[in-house]
Each structure stands twice: as structure tokens, then as C-alpha cells.
Amino acid sequence: MSKRCLYIGGTSSSQEVGPMGVPKGMAEAGCHAATCGDEQTNGMRLSHANGTVVDVFGNESPNEVSLELLNAFELISGGSSVPVPLGAQRLLALLGLNPEGVHRRAAAEQLWPDCSSPRASANLRSALCQARRACRVPLIDCVGQRLRLSPAVRVDVLWIRNSAQQIVDGLAPPYAGSETLIEELARELLPAWPDDWLGLDRERWNQMRLYALEGLAQRFLSAQRYLPALQAALVASAIDPVRETAHRIILEIHLSEGNQASAVRCYQRYEAYLQRELGVSPSPLMTDLMQGLPCLQRDRYGPQSSTARQAPVSAPYRPRRQANGSRARDEAATFSSRSGQRRNNGHGRR
């Protein structure tokens, strides 16, 4: 048995937890006293440092405060959506994407770049007050001049990014929760927000999920699990249509299944897209995959060879017509001149 910090009847105390208490596998360093504003389960609750609330019977409930930044902003507390003013939304999003914290002046300059320094600072103070009133759980920690999101707030993009990083590093199991992860990686980071400070965070998110999706697709392809491999590769190709890696994986999946026609169609579609948008062709890594497919060779070389064979047939025919036409005109002119001479000679003899 070990000691746990419990919230019991409005007071916090340190007690030995027996068999009816917290399971032995729970991390001791992550436990702390629950705040007075938390709801209670049978008068006793535990709270990890990451904000997950656990009762003393070992039943772990969902995170009470969750910040959703993928697809659209949403703050969820106690399972319900919490309305948040726009200024507080932008501040919470900035802090959620920077878990190490942001200096107050830097936060004001990034969120309100078009305002003067005093006006931006006033807007920041207003956003802080709005965030404090929005939720009964403190959302922002202020340490000196530095602002940081409270550890009790769970940010969706952070834990999904951590899962994606484990896949890229080869640390995560390839099949554990892969379908859910593919759906999460398909979501964009606040796509409706026009803020300039989001540009770098969006690019980081896009690159991370591209590498994770391509890694998942390659693992599924190696295991001959073609459907999830194709799903992951299609999501990656939709994120960046110009990027060739995902399209190559799609071709490999079709060829592995014996679907040559599907592979040729995907190749032709991608080749036409590159020519139309950038004026470039697929790399040799992609064209090498398509070698040996007769349908693709006929499509690329057939029309050119037929045109080349028709060219010498039509070339000598036009000069011959022109020559015959000119010869006929010359003969008609000669006949006319001779007839005129005969008429003149006849008039002279009379």
C-alpha cells in the first residue's frame, strides 16, 4: 500500500489506501489534491497532474476539461460544451499550441498585431478575464510575465501529435487504434481561422500527420492489410495533393492486389495534375513502378507512332495535284494563243 492525496468531505488529507482504494499501478507522482470546485464521487476524488479525474475505487472518468482545436474550437468541461468569447478562444488556442508557455508581451503582439502595444495589452487582460469566467476550473496559469495553459486542460492536437510522433519513430504498435488515429489525422487545425500566427503551427501539424499516415500505410502494406493501407494513403494524398510519396504507396497497393487498371488510372490522374498545376512530371521512382504495363505504354506511345506513319503518305500527294493543275493551265494558255494566231492569219489572206 502507498499514500495518496485524497479529497474527503471538503478537506484534503494523506491516508493509506487499502484494497478498496486506488489500484497499485497508478503513478504516485501524477496525483494531487483535487480543487474545491470539482464534483465529488462518494466524497472522495483523485486527480492526476494531466487532469484525469480518478475516484478512489479506481474508476477513471474522462478528462473534465478538454480543448479541441482540430476542425473547430471547442472547450468541453464536464462533458458539456462551454461558450467562450472570441478573444479568450484565440488566447487559449495560442497557449494550447505552446505548452511551454508564452510571454505576455509576445502573446499580445501575436494575437493583436494591428493594434498598438497599450491596446494589445488591454485586449490580453480582457481575454484573461474572459477565460477565468468561462470555466469553473482554472484554465490559465500566470507565472510572472509568462502565461501557460493549466495542466488540467487536455489539448487534442497535442496528444494526437504525440501518437503520430511515436508512429514516425516506430515506437507505437502498428495496429492499436489505427482506424481512430487515421480519422483524427484527417482533421485540420482551425481551418476557418485567418490568423497569421497559425501558419507555422498548421505546417508543423500537416508535416507530422503526413509522415505518420505514410508510415501507417507502409506498415499495413507490408502486412498485406490493403484496405487500411489505402485509407491512410488516400488521407495523406488529400492533405498534400502534390506530394508524391502517398501516391506511390497507392500505386504499390493497387499493384500488390493485381489491380493494374486502377494503378494506371491513378498514375495518369496524378501525372495530368502535375502537368496542369506545376508543369512537371512524376519522378523516376514513380515511373519505374509503372514499367511493364502494356496499357500504359500504348497510351503514351501509340498515338505518336501512328501520326508518324501517316505523315509520309500525305506529303507527296499535294505537289502532284499542284503540278497537274499548273500543267492544265499551261496547255489551255498554249491552245488559246495558237487559235488566235490562226484567226489572224486567216484575216490577212482575205
Side-chain angles (χ1 to χ4, degrees):
M1 294 188 298
S2 59
K3 291 186 176 181
R4 294 290 188 272
C5 210
L6 302 178
Y7 185 91
I8 304 176
T11 62
S12 99
S13 61
S14 179
Q15 297 183 359
E16 296 285 335
V17 179
M20 296 297 293
V22 181
K24 295 182 180 180
M26 187 179 300
E28 295 183 13
C31 299
H32 61 80
T35 58
C36 295
D38 287 343
E39 295 179 359
Q40 303 175 23
T41 303
N42 296 332
M44 297 178 289
R45 290 177 70 85
L46 290 176
S47 180
H48 285 298
N50 63 4
T52 302
V53 179
V54 183
D55 61 33
V56 295
F57 297 102
N59 300 318
E60 186 170 291
S61 62
N63 197 340
E64 286 196 337
V65 181
S66 177
L67 181 60
E68 307 287 336
L69 300 180
L70 296 179
N71 281 353
F73 180 95
E74 187 175 13
L75 183 68
I76 301 175
S77 178
S80 302
S81 180
V82 178
V84 181
L86 181 59
Q89 286 186 24
R90 299 171 71 234
L91 177 58
L92 290 173
L94 176 65
L95 299 179
L97 295 172
N98 297 272
E100 70 281 357
V102 181
H103 195 276
R104 295 175 68 101
R105 179 177 298 178
E109 292 176 352
Q110 290 187 58
L111 295 177
W112 295 278
D114 299 331
C115 298
S116 62
S117 181
R119 181 68 262 176
S121 299
N123 292 340
L124 178 62
R125 290 192 296 270
S126 176
L128 285 170
C129 293
Q130 293 171 351
R132 292 191 186 100
R133 292 194 298 263
C135 186
R136 55 185 175 80
V137 178
L139 302 176
I140 300 175
D141 293 339
C142 302
V143 182
Q145 293 296 312
R146 199 164 191 81
L147 304 176
R148 186 175 65 91
L149 201 64
S150 172
V153 182
R154 171 182 173 274
V155 185
D156 60 346
V157 67
L158 295 184
W159 68 266
I160 296 174
R161 191 166 62 188
N162 291 337
S163 300
Q165 184 65 58
Q166 292 180 3
I167 293 175
V168 173
D169 296 338
L171 302 177
Y175 310 131
S178 58
E179 295 182 358
T180 302
L181 183 59
I182 291 174
E183 294 177 358
E184 296 292 345
L185 292 173
R187 302 163 65 191
E188 298 183 15
L189 177 62
L190 297 173
W193 286 25
D195 301 60
D196 294 335
W197 59 269
L198 276 172
L200 181 59
D201 292 291
R202 286 196 181 110
E203 183 63 23
R204 290 178 57 195
W205 168 243
N206 288 340
Q207 293 301 318
M208 177 60 69
R209 59 187 181 141
L210 278 173
Y211 277 94
L213 288 166
E214 292 165 358
L216 278 175
Q218 287 284 11
R219 292 189 187 186
F220 285 126
L221 177 59
S222 301
Q224 297 183 355
R225 297 187 58 183
Y226 299 122
L227 178 57
L230 187 59
Q231 291 175 340
L234 288 174
V235 172
S237 65
I239 295 173
D240 190 354
V242 175
R243 185 181 174 92
E244 184 178 297
T245 308
H247 292 278
R248 284 204 308 267
I249 298 175
I250 294 174
L251 293 184
E252 292 176 0
I253 294 170
H254 288 313
L255 294 175
S256 298
E257 292 183 293
N259 298 324
Q260 294 186 358
S262 299
V264 171
R265 182 179 59 186
C266 292
Y267 178 85
Q268 292 175 337
R269 186 186 301 129
Y270 179 66
E271 183 183 36
Y273 178 80
L274 289 184
Q275 288 290 338
R276 183 175 65 254
E277 297 295 330
L278 302 175
V280 299
S281 300
S283 72
L285 292 175
M286 192 168 189
T287 55
D288 290 346
L289 293 174
M290 308 304 294
Q291 288 187 1
L293 296 181
C295 53
L296 181 64
Q297 293 176 354
R298 286 196 300 269
D299 181 72
R300 297 181 65 181
Y301 304 113
Q304 296 179 2
S305 58
S306 62
T307 304
R309 287 194 299 269
Q310 293 174 3
V313 175
S314 59
Y317 185 69
R318 291 182 179 177
R320 190 177 299 116
R321 290 184 59 186
Q322 293 175 358
N324 294 337
S326 60
R327 188 180 300 115
R329 287 193 297 270
D330 293 341
E331 292 176 355
T334 303
F335 178 79
S336 176
S337 62
R338 288 177 180 176
S339 299
Q341 291 177 359
R342 290 172 183 170
R343 286 194 298 270
N344 293 335
N345 293 335
H347 289 300
R349 285 194 296 269
R350 290 175 185 175

